[in-house]
Amino acid sequence: MIRKLATIALAALTAVALTVVVLTARSWAAADNAGPEYPPTKRVEQVDRYHGVAVDDPYRWLEATDDPAVRSWAETQNRVTRSFVRASPQWESIRTRIAELQATGDLYGVPRLGGGRYVYTVSEPGFGAIVFKVRDGLAGEERLLFDPNPELAEGEAVSGDTLSPGGRYLGYRVATDQSRWGELRILEVATGRVGERLTGLRNASVGWLPDDSGFYYVYYGDSARIRDGAAYPAPEVRFHRLGEAQSKDLSVLPAARELEHTYAVSVVGRRPYLVVSLFEGTLSANRLLISDLSASGGPVVEPREIVDGSEPGIYRPLGAADDGLYVFTNAGAPNGRIVVIDPERPERTAWREIVPEGPATIAAASTAGGNAIQMIGRHLTLVSRRANQAWLRVYALDGRLEHEIELEAGWIGSGLVGGAAEEVWYSFSGLLEPQTVYRLDFATGRAQPFFAPETPIDRSDYVTRQVHYPSEDGTEVPLFIAHRRDLELDGSAPLFIYGYGLGGWVAVPWYQPQMLTWMDRGGVYAMPGIRGGGEYGDAWEEAGTGVNRQTAIDDYIAAAEWLVEQRYTSKGRIAANGWSASGALAAAAVQQRPDLYGAGVIGIPSLDLLRYERYTPFKGWTRGFGSVENSMEFTVLRSYSPYHNVSSETCYPPFIVTVGEKDDITPPQHGYKFVARMQQEATCS
């Protein structure tokens, strides 16, 4: 009896360890290695019933991640992983090469403008410590504004920032131990003094008053409870006046009626308006509420509803001018459009369309994968995508197209950030291009690199292709492929395939030193734009979402099959990779077609799809996955949930699973339970 490698690692091991595992896993398995000695994992008697169906859950005890027994189990698992990875003769050379590719010089963030000053982050090569720098005007000399690192405790890191409109205050978020919860600290720019520290926030996104006197934010309460696995407290919108204690903050909107509801806030326009987006258990639909702050006589006035969500869709406020609120929406327009809503006449019949729906999708649902849209001064800037093509477009407020720039395949990771009224900043990262900060001048329509890192490779050494392949039902799916130019495509190359296909995320490549290392060692990299993503708008997303999730898995498998047919690789030489919400997709593909893959590389995933709603206080993923509360959706989830589809009759390729110990969206018990079941129940004879 041979036990295949199925092991777990902390996310910190990811870049080097995963490259080692994928390069060596197939040869390790082929050598009939009996495998490492896994720690014993006890089984418990636990049976749940869903709609009359009994479901066994023998590793339920691993959900208690703070239990000393679970912590001990996890650390033993990590020792198994470290021992295996570091025994590889390739360990040191891979680690050295990845470090070289990360050493591209300091990594610059996108500047934020306030009071004539540009403030931006600078981090050391390899995503090291972050400091804030500043320059007075574009031509100003760069100088250090603030180094937050001396005051950070062990495990703390800066994650997100916000600059007040007048540039007097910088807010920066400090998170602990990979948690999505953090403390917002307020720095007085002129003195470098850190004042207030606000808790109970999930990000640094706030709505500043134009005079810098305070800001609106979403407050969740005691984040310590949430890190311990409790449900999120119902959020409320609060106003914080600078110089006062957080305990004196004023409530603008009371706690949401349901725990899965959440808010987003912004202050827009010269008038100005407070705009609140209310998401009711999903990030794919929301309502809009607005307050006219110029007429309120104070910072607290209960917003009134101007979009009731009766036609489901995204309503994203972009900014305001004298004629009303400019809003992106995909309601009734799957590819998106921009309308103007008069707050005094918010009925739909009075909306004015500024940018109509077109054949390319306005990528505005999120900032992931190059999705970006913004109103800056008298201009609307947006990214439009259709499959692997993308354009950065600038419109006047009357809808006239002013400029259009075709973008290479890559990721606009920061979205679009307004500087002065006549410029927009964005960062771009491609597979062969480290993150570069660009400035687009509205007057000329030209985008120029402003902060460009050193390029540690010769781009001519690599080939990138954008093609299409047929899925199981005949649908043509876009696919990005990359490899070294001198690679002979005879079917012998190992191939690493990454897919996502959820929540409208557009599959585009970004700079990854481990993937360059992979290609330098004779590997091929592939990224299909599977259904569930946003390559062709809402219809493409819906086709791989919820009860249609098997379609996304079929697309992922079909990509691997096509790559084998085209002799990019061969069966058994493919590493299936998924991350976060797509971890289940990659794991399910390997389980359904173990003959096709040589390894499963699953990062910070959701793998128990019958209980993910219980682990994750935020309910926004139920639209993408479905809910066990619905009998049809339960049946679909049960059919592919990786934890529930481990078979003792199937010989699986090796797996490595990484987890984030403090991640509250995809918490570590997903990885723990799946790995335990694979180790204890999946064997090969």
Side-chain angles (χ1 to χ4, degrees):
M1 193 74 70
I2 300 171
R3 287 194 298 182
K4 294 285 186 176
L5 174 69
T7 190
I8 198 161
L10 295 179
L13 281 173
T14 300
V16 181
L18 297 192
T19 309
V20 170
V21 168
V22 175
L23 283 169
T24 61
R26 185 175 182 274
S27 60
W28 179 89
D32 287 342
N33 193 313
E37 285 298 321
Y38 300 124
T41 304
K42 70 178 180 182
R43 290 174 58 93
V44 298
E45 293 298 324
Q46 176 66 49
V47 178
D48 300 318
R49 299 193 72 85
Y50 301 89
H51 307 284
V53 179
V55 179
D56 188 30
D57 188 0
Y59 303 102
R60 174 74 61 84
W61 68 278
L62 289 171
E63 294 181 10
T65 55
D66 287 332
D67 187 305
V70 176
R71 289 182 177 274
S72 175
W73 179 91
E75 181 50 41
T76 304
Q77 291 283 348
N78 279 318
R79 286 198 296 269
V80 170
T81 304
R82 294 187 192 105
S83 176
F84 168 74
V85 170
R86 291 174 181 174
S88 168
Q90 303 187 68
W91 165 261
E92 286 298 337
S93 61
I94 289 175
R95 184 169 67 169
T96 298
R97 179 57 176 159
I98 289 177
E100 291 172 351
L101 292 170
Q102 287 177 330
T104 59
D106 289 340
L107 188 67
Y108 282 75
V110 173
R112 302 179 186 277
L113 179 66
R117 302 187 185 100
Y118 290 92
V119 177
Y120 44 90
T121 59
V122 181
S123 59
E124 298 169 351
F127 306 99
I130 288 176
V131 299
F132 291 96
K133 294 196 174 182
V134 63
R135 61 172 68 194
D136 297 319
L138 279 177
E141 182 178 348
E142 179 180 282
R143 66 181 188 278
L144 179 68
L145 171 62
F146 177 65
D147 181 358
N149 296 287
E151 68 172 23
L152 297 180
E154 183 177 357
E156 290 185 337
V158 174
S159 176
D161 59 88
T162 176
L163 186 67
S164 67
R168 295 168 57 197
Y169 300 99
L170 173 72
Y172 63 97
R173 175 178 173 270
V174 175
T176 304
D177 293 333
Q178 309 164 28
S179 172
R180 296 171 190 261
W181 297 94
E183 180 180 79
L184 186 66
R185 302 178 183 179
I186 307 300
L187 171 80
E188 188 175 32
V189 172
T191 65
R193 184 182 65 85
V194 176
E196 294 100 306
R197 302 185 179 210
L198 280 66
T199 62
L201 289 82
R202 279 185 57 79
N203 53 51
S205 179
V206 304
W208 287 94
L209 288 181
D211 64 0
D212 290 6
S213 62
F215 55 81
Y216 300 88
Y217 68 101
V218 181
Y219 177 71
Y220 285 88
D222 183 6
S223 58
R225 285 183 56 243
I226 303 164
R227 287 200 297 271
D228 289 339
Y232 289 4
E236 63 177 301
V237 177
R238 289 187 171 187
F239 175 75
H240 176 74
R241 188 175 297 282
L242 292 178
E244 295 185 355
Q246 187 180 12
S247 59
K248 295 184 178 181
D249 287 355
L250 303 172
S251 179
V252 178
L253 273 177
R257 293 189 299 271
E258 304 291 341
L259 292 181
E260 61 264 30
H261 291 188
T262 190
Y263 296 115
V265 297
S266 59
V267 175
V268 299
R270 290 179 298 178
R271 191 162 181 154
Y273 293 105
L274 166 66
V275 184
V276 179
S277 300
L278 171 59
F279 297 87
E280 298 177 321
T282 173
L283 291 182
S284 299
N286 68 288
R287 295 188 283 143
L288 284 183
L289 301 92
I290 192 170
S291 292
D292 184 347
L293 298 178
S294 67
S296 67
V300 178
V301 57
E302 185 170 346
R304 57 189 175 84
E305 190 171 75
I306 61 169
V307 176
D308 61 10
S310 59
E311 186 174 358
I314 288 289
Y315 299 90
R316 179 174 171 181
L318 306 178
D322 293 341
D323 55 347
L325 185 69
Y326 284 69
V327 176
F328 162 85
T329 183
N330 58 10
N335 288 344
R337 63 183 182 133
I338 298 175
V339 299
V340 178
I341 302 175
D342 183 347
E344 302 305 319
R345 297 183 57 216
E347 58 271 18
R348 291 175 185 272
T349 55
W351 292 7
R352 290 190 300 111
E353 185 174 77
I354 299 300
V355 178
E357 181 184 23
T361 302
I362 298 176
S366 72
T367 58
N371 302 330
I373 186 169
Q374 188 66 268
M375 178 175 171
I376 301 165
R378 303 288 298 176
H379 306 275
L380 297 165
T381 60
L382 57 88
V383 171
S384 293
R385 289 192 176 277
R386 184 164 179 80
N388 295 321
Q389 294 179 285
W391 301 267
L392 174 57
R393 291 170 172 158
V394 180
Y395 292 86
L397 294 189
D398 61 6
R400 288 180 295 108
L401 178 63
E402 296 180 320
H403 305 294
E404 179 179 88
I405 299 174
E406 185 168 0
L407 301 171
E408 295 184 31
W411 187 2
I412 299 182
S414 62
L416 305 176
V417 178
E422 294 301 319
E423 65 184 6
V424 63
W425 297 82
Y426 61 95
S427 66
F428 179 86
S429 173
L431 185 63
L432 306 178
E433 180 181 347
Q435 178 173 306
T436 301
V437 175
Y438 288 84
R439 175 183 178 270
L440 171 62
D441 187 326
F442 290 151
T444 64
R446 296 181 60 191
Q448 298 289 336
F450 200 82
F451 299 126
E454 302 171 8
T455 303
I457 61 171
D458 185 343
R459 296 179 60 165
S460 66
D461 288 341
Y462 303 87
V463 174
T464 60
R465 295 187 178 94
Q466 299 182 62
V467 300
H468 289 77
Y469 66 92
S471 190
E472 184 180 57
D473 61 2
T475 299
E476 291 289 311
V477 180
L479 174 65
F480 178 88
I481 308 170
H483 56 80
R484 282 192 62 89
R485 189 174 299 277
D486 56 6
L487 180 67
E488 184 176 354
L489 298 177
D490 58 4
S492 65
L495 184 140
F496 190 99
I497 184 169
Y498 172 78
Y500 197 83
L502 197 71
W505 190 84
V506 180
V508 291
W510 67 97
Y511 186 72
Q512 300 175 80
Q514 66 269 31
M515 285 300 100
L516 291 172
T517 302
W518 172 260
M519 292 189 290
D520 285 346
R521 290 170 177 262
V524 178
Y525 178 61
M527 179 186 286
I530 58 182
R531 281 172 282 187
E535 281 73 11
Y536 295 105
D538 283 2
W540 191 260
E541 179 183 351
E542 291 294 332
T545 292
V547 294
N548 301 319
R549 194 61 182 150
Q550 184 61 46
T551 299
I553 300 171
D554 291 342
D555 287 355
Y556 189 86
I557 292 172
E561 292 177 324
W562 184 87
L563 288 159
V564 169
E565 292 172 2
Q566 300 300 313
R567 296 183 61 78
Y568 282 97
T569 189
S570 299
K571 287 185 177 180
R573 298 190 65 78
I574 303 172
N577 178 229
W579 204 263
S580 188
S582 71
L585 175 137
V590 175
Q591 289 177 324
Q592 294 178 19
R593 288 293 308 277
D595 63 305
L596 188 57
Y597 300 97
V601 182
I602 313 300
I604 314 183
S606 290
L607 297 173
D608 179 350
L609 297 183
L610 302 189
R611 287 178 61 79
Y612 82 93
E613 295 175 74
R614 295 175 180 267
Y615 303 155
T616 305
F618 173 64
K619 299 282 188 172
W621 281 9
T622 54
R623 178 178 178 272
F625 285 139
S627 172
V628 294
E629 296 177 5
N630 178 291
S631 61
M632 180 181 296
E633 292 174 358
F634 158 72
T635 300
V636 174
L637 288 167
R638 176 66 181 84
S639 71
Y640 77 91
S641 174
Y643 173 64
H644 298 93
N645 283 278
V646 176
S647 171
S648 61
E649 304 299 320
T650 302
C651 183
Y652 298 106
F655 273 91
I656 184 170
V657 180
T658 64
V659 300
E661 287 188 304
K662 298 296 183 180
D663 197 311
D664 65 322
I665 298 296
T666 51
Q669 52 261 47
H670 283 283
Y672 293 171
K673 293 172 67 176
F674 176 75
V675 165
R677 200 162 207 167
M678 286 289 294
Q679 289 176 351
Q680 305 303 317
E681 301 182 21
T683 59
C684 297
S685 58

PDB file of all heavy atoms in Angstrom, residues 8-28:
ATOM      1  N   ILE A   8       0.439  19.884   4.188  1.00  0.00           N
ATOM      2  CA  ILE A   8      -0.056  21.234   4.424  1.00  0.00           C
ATOM      3  C   ILE A   8       1.101  22.140   4.818  1.00  0.00           C
ATOM      4  O   ILE A   8       2.106  21.668   5.363  1.00  0.00           O
ATOM      5  CB  ILE A   8      -1.144  21.221   5.515  1.00  0.00           C
ATOM      6  CG1 ILE A   8      -1.990  22.492   5.473  1.00  0.00           C
ATOM      7  CG2 ILE A   8      -0.551  21.013   6.904  1.00  0.00           C
ATOM      8  CD1 ILE A   8      -3.313  22.322   6.176  1.00  0.00           C
ATOM      9  N   ALA A   9       0.984  23.419   4.502  1.00  0.00           N
ATOM     10  CA  ALA A   9       2.045  24.363   4.837  1.00  0.00           C
ATOM     11  C   ALA A   9       1.438  25.710   5.149  1.00  0.00           C
ATOM     12  O   ALA A   9       0.368  26.059   4.656  1.00  0.00           O
ATOM     13  CB  ALA A   9       3.025  24.509   3.675  1.00  0.00           C
ATOM     14  N   LEU A  10       2.115  26.482   5.989  1.00  0.00           N
ATOM     15  CA  LEU A  10       1.731  27.873   6.192  1.00  0.00           C
ATOM     16  C   LEU A  10       2.011  28.652   4.919  1.00  0.00           C
ATOM     17  O   LEU A  10       2.900  28.314   4.146  1.00  0.00           O
ATOM     18  CB  LEU A  10       2.511  28.482   7.356  1.00  0.00           C
ATOM     19  CG  LEU A  10       2.235  27.870   8.734  1.00  0.00           C
ATOM     20  CD1 LEU A  10       3.096  28.566   9.766  1.00  0.00           C
ATOM     21  CD2 LEU A  10       0.764  27.982   9.097  1.00  0.00           C
ATOM     22  N   ALA A  11       1.254  29.721   4.697  1.00  0.00           N
ATOM     23  CA  ALA A  11       1.390  30.488   3.469  1.00  0.00           C
ATOM     24  C   ALA A  11       2.793  31.039   3.272  1.00  0.00           C
ATOM     25  O   ALA A  11       3.225  31.289   2.156  1.00  0.00           O
ATOM     26  CB  ALA A  11       0.377  31.636   3.460  1.00  0.00           C
ATOM     27  N   ALA A  12       3.552  31.215   4.348  1.00  0.00           N
ATOM     28  CA  ALA A  12       4.892  31.783   4.246  1.00  0.00           C
ATOM     29  C   ALA A  12       5.827  30.927   3.405  1.00  0.00           C
ATOM     30  O   ALA A  12       6.813  31.409   2.860  1.00  0.00           O
ATOM     31  CB  ALA A  12       5.489  31.976   5.633  1.00  0.00           C
ATOM     32  N   LEU A  13       5.529  29.651   3.278  1.00  0.00           N
ATOM     33  CA  LEU A  13       6.386  28.759   2.501  1.00  0.00           C
ATOM     34  C   LEU A  13       6.098  28.817   1.005  1.00  0.00           C
ATOM     35  O   LEU A  13       6.802  28.215   0.216  1.00  0.00           O
ATOM     36  CB  LEU A  13       6.182  27.306   2.967  1.00  0.00           C
ATOM     37  CG  LEU A  13       6.882  26.874   4.254  1.00  0.00           C
ATOM     38  CD1 LEU A  13       6.415  25.473   4.622  1.00  0.00           C
ATOM     39  CD2 LEU A  13       8.388  26.881   4.084  1.00  0.00           C
ATOM     40  N   THR A  14       5.073  29.547   0.614  1.00  0.00           N
ATOM     41  CA  THR A  14       4.464  29.368  -0.690  1.00  0.00           C
ATOM     42  C   THR A  14       5.422  29.391  -1.865  1.00  0.00           C
ATOM     43  O   THR A  14       5.546  28.410  -2.595  1.00  0.00           O
ATOM     44  CB  THR A  14       3.370  30.435  -0.907  1.00  0.00           C
ATOM     45  OG1 THR A  14       2.401  30.274   0.112  1.00  0.00           O
ATOM     46  CG2 THR A  14       2.725  30.259  -2.251  1.00  0.00           C
ATOM     47  N   ALA A  15       6.110  30.510  -2.115  1.00  0.00           N
ATOM     48  CA  ALA A  15       6.815  30.686  -3.380  1.00  0.00           C
ATOM     49  C   ALA A  15       7.844  29.600  -3.644  1.00  0.00           C
ATOM     50  O   ALA A  15       7.845  28.974  -4.702  1.00  0.00           O
ATOM     51  CB  ALA A  15       7.482  32.065  -3.417  1.00  0.00           C
ATOM     52  N   VAL A  16       8.736  29.373  -2.695  1.00  0.00           N
ATOM     53  CA  VAL A  16       9.793  28.388  -2.907  1.00  0.00           C
ATOM     54  C   VAL A  16       9.245  26.975  -2.770  1.00  0.00           C
ATOM     55  O   VAL A  16       9.472  26.118  -3.620  1.00  0.00           O
ATOM     56  CB  VAL A  16      10.944  28.607  -1.905  1.00  0.00           C
ATOM     57  CG1 VAL A  16      12.055  27.600  -2.159  1.00  0.00           C
ATOM     58  CG2 VAL A  16      11.496  30.028  -2.031  1.00  0.00           C
ATOM     59  N   ALA A  17       8.487  26.731  -1.714  1.00  0.00           N
ATOM     60  CA  ALA A  17       8.036  25.371  -1.433  1.00  0.00           C
ATOM     61  C   ALA A  17       7.151  24.825  -2.533  1.00  0.00           C
ATOM     62  O   ALA A  17       7.308  23.680  -2.956  1.00  0.00           O
ATOM     63  CB  ALA A  17       7.292  25.341  -0.094  1.00  0.00           C
ATOM     64  N   LEU A  18       6.225  25.626  -3.030  1.00  0.00           N
ATOM     65  CA  LEU A  18       5.336  25.117  -4.059  1.00  0.00           C
ATOM     66  C   LEU A  18       6.089  24.809  -5.341  1.00  0.00           C
ATOM     67  O   LEU A  18       5.789  23.837  -6.033  1.00  0.00           O
ATOM     68  CB  LEU A  18       4.216  26.117  -4.331  1.00  0.00           C
ATOM     69  CG  LEU A  18       3.277  26.417  -3.160  1.00  0.00           C
ATOM     70  CD1 LEU A  18       2.060  27.182  -3.645  1.00  0.00           C
ATOM     71  CD2 LEU A  18       2.835  25.160  -2.454  1.00  0.00           C
ATOM     72  N   THR A  19       7.067  25.638  -5.686  1.00  0.00           N
ATOM     73  CA  THR A  19       7.851  25.371  -6.883  1.00  0.00           C
ATOM     74  C   THR A  19       8.616  24.058  -6.742  1.00  0.00           C
ATOM     75  O   THR A  19       8.661  23.233  -7.656  1.00  0.00           O
ATOM     76  CB  THR A  19       8.843  26.523  -7.153  1.00  0.00           C
ATOM     77  OG1 THR A  19       8.125  27.757  -7.131  1.00  0.00           O
ATOM     78  CG2 THR A  19       9.493  26.365  -8.511  1.00  0.00           C
ATOM     79  N   VAL A  20       9.199  23.853  -5.564  1.00  0.00           N
ATOM     80  CA  VAL A  20       9.920  22.600  -5.318  1.00  0.00           C
ATOM     81  C   VAL A  20       8.978  21.412  -5.410  1.00  0.00           C
ATOM     82  O   VAL A  20       9.252  20.414  -6.079  1.00  0.00           O
ATOM     83  CB  VAL A  20      10.598  22.635  -3.931  1.00  0.00           C
ATOM     84  CG1 VAL A  20      11.125  21.251  -3.567  1.00  0.00           C
ATOM     85  CG2 VAL A  20      11.740  23.633  -3.929  1.00  0.00           C
ATOM     86  N   VAL A  21       7.834  21.513  -4.728  1.00  0.00           N
ATOM     87  CA  VAL A  21       6.911  20.387  -4.691  1.00  0.00           C
ATOM     88  C   VAL A  21       6.433  20.025  -6.089  1.00  0.00           C
ATOM     89  O   VAL A  21       6.400  18.854  -6.480  1.00  0.00           O
ATOM     90  CB  VAL A  21       5.713  20.714  -3.769  1.00  0.00           C
ATOM     91  CG1 VAL A  21       4.606  19.687  -3.947  1.00  0.00           C
ATOM     92  CG2 VAL A  21       6.171  20.731  -2.324  1.00  0.00           C
ATOM     93  N   VAL A  22       6.054  21.036  -6.870  1.00  0.00           N
ATOM     94  CA  VAL A  22       5.519  20.742  -8.199  1.00  0.00           C
ATOM     95  C   VAL A  22       6.592  20.164  -9.112  1.00  0.00           C
ATOM     96  O   VAL A  22       6.342  19.256  -9.901  1.00  0.00           O
ATOM     97  CB  VAL A  22       4.901  22.013  -8.815  1.00  0.00           C
ATOM     98  CG1 VAL A  22       4.451  21.749 -10.221  1.00  0.00           C
ATOM     99  CG2 VAL A  22       3.731  22.472  -7.977  1.00  0.00           C
ATOM    100  N   LEU A  23       7.816  20.662  -9.008  1.00  0.00           N
ATOM    101  CA  LEU A  23       8.888  20.146  -9.857  1.00  0.00           C
ATOM    102  C   LEU A  23       9.280  18.722  -9.493  1.00  0.00           C
ATOM    103  O   LEU A  23       9.743  17.962 -10.340  1.00  0.00           O
ATOM    104  CB  LEU A  23      10.116  21.056  -9.759  1.00  0.00           C
ATOM    105  CG  LEU A  23      10.048  22.361 -10.550  1.00  0.00           C
ATOM    106  CD1 LEU A  23      11.192  23.276 -10.146  1.00  0.00           C
ATOM    107  CD2 LEU A  23      10.096  22.101 -12.051  1.00  0.00           C
ATOM    108  N   THR A  24       9.103  18.348  -8.229  1.00  0.00           N
ATOM    109  CA  THR A  24       9.599  17.051  -7.786  1.00  0.00           C
ATOM    110  C   THR A  24       8.503  16.035  -7.494  1.00  0.00           C
ATOM    111  O   THR A  24       8.787  14.851  -7.379  1.00  0.00           O
ATOM    112  CB  THR A  24      10.440  17.212  -6.508  1.00  0.00           C
ATOM    113  OG1 THR A  24       9.626  17.763  -5.473  1.00  0.00           O
ATOM    114  CG2 THR A  24      11.621  18.110  -6.751  1.00  0.00           C
ATOM    115  N   ALA A  25       7.248  16.476  -7.395  1.00  0.00           N
ATOM    116  CA  ALA A  25       6.191  15.582  -6.927  1.00  0.00           C
ATOM    117  C   ALA A  25       6.016  14.373  -7.839  1.00  0.00           C
ATOM    118  O   ALA A  25       5.876  13.246  -7.380  1.00  0.00           O
ATOM    119  CB  ALA A  25       4.866  16.342  -6.815  1.00  0.00           C
ATOM    120  N   ARG A  26       6.033  14.591  -9.159  1.00  0.00           N
ATOM    121  CA  ARG A  26       5.760  13.471 -10.056  1.00  0.00           C
ATOM    122  C   ARG A  26       6.858  12.423  -9.983  1.00  0.00           C
ATOM    123  O   ARG A  26       6.593  11.223  -9.924  1.00  0.00           O
ATOM    124  CB  ARG A  26       5.599  13.981 -11.494  1.00  0.00           C
ATOM    125  CG  ARG A  26       5.179  12.875 -12.466  1.00  0.00           C
ATOM    126  CD  ARG A  26       4.905  13.457 -13.846  1.00  0.00           C
ATOM    127  NE  ARG A  26       4.466  12.413 -14.746  1.00  0.00           N
ATOM    128  CZ  ARG A  26       5.279  11.636 -15.446  1.00  0.00           C
ATOM    129  NH1 ARG A  26       6.582  11.776 -15.325  1.00  0.00           N
ATOM    130  NH2 ARG A  26       4.801  10.709 -16.258  1.00  0.00           N
ATOM    131  N   SER A  27       8.119  12.879  -9.973  1.00  0.00           N
ATOM    132  CA  SER A  27       9.204  11.909  -9.891  1.00  0.00           C
ATOM    133  C   SER A  27       9.208  11.213  -8.535  1.00  0.00           C
ATOM    134  O   SER A  27       9.521  10.033  -8.430  1.00  0.00           O
ATOM    135  CB  SER A  27      10.554  12.604 -10.123  1.00  0.00           C
ATOM    136  OG  SER A  27      10.777  13.603  -9.156  1.00  0.00           O
ATOM    137  N   TRP A  28       8.829  11.940  -7.485  1.00  0.00           N
ATOM    138  CA  TRP A  28       8.742  11.350  -6.144  1.00  0.00           C
ATOM    139  C   TRP A  28       7.691  10.249  -6.120  1.00  0.00           C
ATOM    140  O   TRP A  28       7.916   9.149  -5.633  1.00  0.00           O
ATOM    141  CB  TRP A  28       8.391  12.450  -5.156  1.00  0.00           C
ATOM    142  CG  TRP A  28       8.231  11.995  -3.733  1.00  0.00           C
ATOM    143  CD1 TRP A  28       9.197  11.902  -2.780  1.00  0.00           C
ATOM    144  CD2 TRP A  28       7.013  11.590  -3.103  1.00  0.00           C
ATOM    145  NE1 TRP A  28       8.656  11.469  -1.608  1.00  0.00           N
ATOM    146  CE2 TRP A  28       7.325  11.261  -1.768  1.00  0.00           C
ATOM    147  CE3 TRP A  28       5.696  11.460  -3.539  1.00  0.00           C
ATOM    148  CZ2 TRP A  28       6.370  10.833  -0.874  1.00  0.00           C
ATOM    149  CZ3 TRP A  28       4.740  11.027  -2.640  1.00  0.00           C
ATOM    150  CH2 TRP A  28       5.079  10.716  -1.321  1.00  0.00           C
TER     151      TRP A  28
END
